[in-house]
Amino acid sequence: WLFIKRQFQNSVYALLIASLLGLSTAHIFFGSVIETYIFSAAALIGFALVLQKKSDSLLAPVGMSVLTFGITLTNSVQNFILFVVSQTLKVFKTFRVSFTQVFRFTAFTLVLGILLSIIHAAWFPSSKLFFLPSDAQAEEEFAFSVLQEPSWKVIGRALLLVRTVFLYAVIAPRPYVFGEEVGGTFPRFNFFKISPETFSFSSYDGVGNVLVLLWGIVLLTAGFFFLKNLLRTRTVDLSIAFVFCVLFNFVLHFNYGYEPFLYSPDWTYALIFFVALSLAPLAKNRFFQGGMTVFLILLAYNQFQFFQFIFTTITLFFDKGA
């Protein structure tokens, strides 16, 4: 809300966008379940707010970047992307000055990150040092190479990421439920299922189908306004940074993480911010505001059904005495 309010001085539009982010599957779910990545999303949004002030001081950007760095290492790349783009927007700066700022920002973040990691390891000997290859190997169990996978699985992974990044992270589908077949003692929910040479994806029904159609229109409209502004002004704003942040997450999770939705807070904020900045020409349009309000009401109902499905499934599990 604060980011959009500062950007456009429009409280109604800010409320609509904040509600969209809050009702998105990524944020309403992980904000309730409380998973690490929701705190990472908060740090990333905080970093965007710091950059919005357009101050030459590195204290706040470095501080927020170290916080992001400490929660999820790879998300510091998003901080770097946002900072680089923010420096290019300051047209009064020469390339040399901008490069110096980017170098200082990166160096300070890495140095502080390494220093705090060493202090943390000294305080808690069982912890790992992220910059040592031997300690970083623990993450290898979540990584895989698509180059070593059959073509049907590579295509399936790509389609899963497209669905998760642009649909599932915002509008909840009907998840698959797994139990004994995966050796679990508690129901496991996933948005995909893999069987021999078949990659299946969670689908929508009822209100979900309507929401997917409306959200597709919103994304296409946002993309249209973004390209129109880019071609007309030949200048970039933070919208392009958010595009690169989403793209970075897509590339990263093509080779990392079994269930991409687990990491969805890392990019959902960027997708919503991109939509908000791109649709700025419609911010004061009453028809648009009314349409968004209807969309949000339907989205809230769909997300309620999503939670109801999960709670019902879990309740049945406990009723069996497990």
Side-chain angles (χ1 to χ4, degrees):
W1 183 91
L2 182 59
F3 183 89
I4 303 303
K5 180 64 167 60
R6 282 181 184 173
Q7 194 77 12
F8 304 113
Q9 300 303 309
N10 187 323
S11 299
V12 175
Y13 189 57
L15 179 60
L16 290 171
I17 298 302
S19 299
L20 176 60
L21 182 64
L23 285 171
S24 67
T25 319
H27 281 250
I28 198 171
F29 183 79
F30 290 116
S32 304
V33 175
I34 311 298
E35 217 286 338
T36 305
Y37 295 101
I38 201 66
F39 297 106
S40 186
L44 288 165
I45 293 172
F47 187 79
L49 284 169
V50 166
L51 292 183
Q52 195 179 37
K53 290 187 175 181
K54 299 179 181 180
S55 171
D56 285 335
S57 172
L58 289 177
L59 181 61
V62 169
M64 288 303 302
S65 188
V66 169
L67 177 61
T68 305
F69 193 77
I71 299 174
T72 309
L73 182 64
T74 52
N75 278 338
S76 59
V77 176
Q78 296 193 63
N79 287 161
F80 178 80
I81 292 170
L82 287 165
F83 190 81
V84 169
V85 173
S86 71
Q87 290 301 304
T88 64
L89 297 179
K90 298 177 180 180
V91 295
F92 58 87
K93 285 189 173 183
T94 64
F95 172 79
R96 180 179 178 181
V97 173
S98 296
F99 178 82
T100 301
Q101 282 289 85
V102 171
F103 178 82
R104 291 173 61 200
F105 164 76
T106 306
F108 287 153
T109 300
L110 285 174
V111 169
L112 284 173
I114 292 172
L115 178 62
L116 290 174
S117 183
I118 292 173
I119 294 173
H120 183 263
W123 201 342
F124 299 98
S126 61
S127 62
K128 305 292 184 179
L129 294 171
F130 73 89
F131 51 86
L132 293 181
S134 58
D135 287 348
Q137 287 178 350
E139 293 297 314
E140 289 184 353
E141 64 177 297
F142 305 109
F144 53 92
S145 176
V146 294
L147 298 177
Q148 298 177 0
E149 301 289 346
S151 59
W152 66 268
K153 188 171 286 189
V154 174
I155 294 173
R157 180 71 180 183
L159 292 175
L160 173 65
L161 280 170
V162 170
R163 282 173 167 264
T164 305
V165 170
F166 296 106
L167 292 180
Y168 298 162
V170 178
I171 306 167
R174 178 62 64 91
Y176 291 105
V177 182
F178 300 95
E180 295 179 357
E181 65 266 42
V182 293
T185 57
F186 195 80
R188 192 179 83 186
F189 301 89
N190 284 105
F191 289 155
F192 69 98
K193 180 175 68 174
I194 300 178
S195 55
E197 298 191 16
T198 303
F199 221 115
S200 303
F201 312 100
S202 288
S203 58
Y204 296 92
D205 53 25
V207 172
N209 286 322
V210 176
L211 284 167
V212 168
L213 175 62
L214 295 176
W215 180 239
I217 294 173
V218 170
L219 288 177
L220 288 174
T221 305
F224 170 76
F225 278 115
F226 170 73
L227 292 174
K228 179 182 177 181
N229 181 66
L230 187 63
L231 294 173
R232 181 174 57 86
T233 64
R234 302 299 177 91
T235 58
V236 298
D237 56 20
L238 280 180
S239 296
I240 193 69
F242 293 127
V243 170
F244 282 127
C245 286
V246 173
L247 181 61
F248 163 74
N249 278 282
F250 187 93
V251 173
L252 172 66
H253 293 296
F254 207 83
N255 296 280
Y256 180 85
Y258 180 73
E259 169 60 87
F261 178 71
L262 173 64
Y263 312 95
S264 57
D266 290 347
W267 69 74
T268 304
Y269 86 98
L271 180 64
I272 301 300
F273 276 27
F274 167 76
V275 168
L277 293 177
S278 298
L279 294 182
L282 302 177
K284 297 180 180 180
N285 185 290
R286 296 300 182 185
F287 291 104
F288 173 77
Q289 292 177 354
M292 279 298 294
T293 301
V294 172
F295 177 82
L296 291 171
I297 292 173
L298 293 176
L299 180 61
Y301 176 70
N302 183 81
Q303 309 304 54
F304 169 77
Q305 288 187 312
F306 173 66
F307 274 101
Q308 188 177 48
F309 174 79
I310 292 176
F311 294 151
T312 301
T313 303
I314 294 175
T315 300
L316 292 175
F317 174 81
F318 281 115
D319 286 344
K320 293 179 181 179

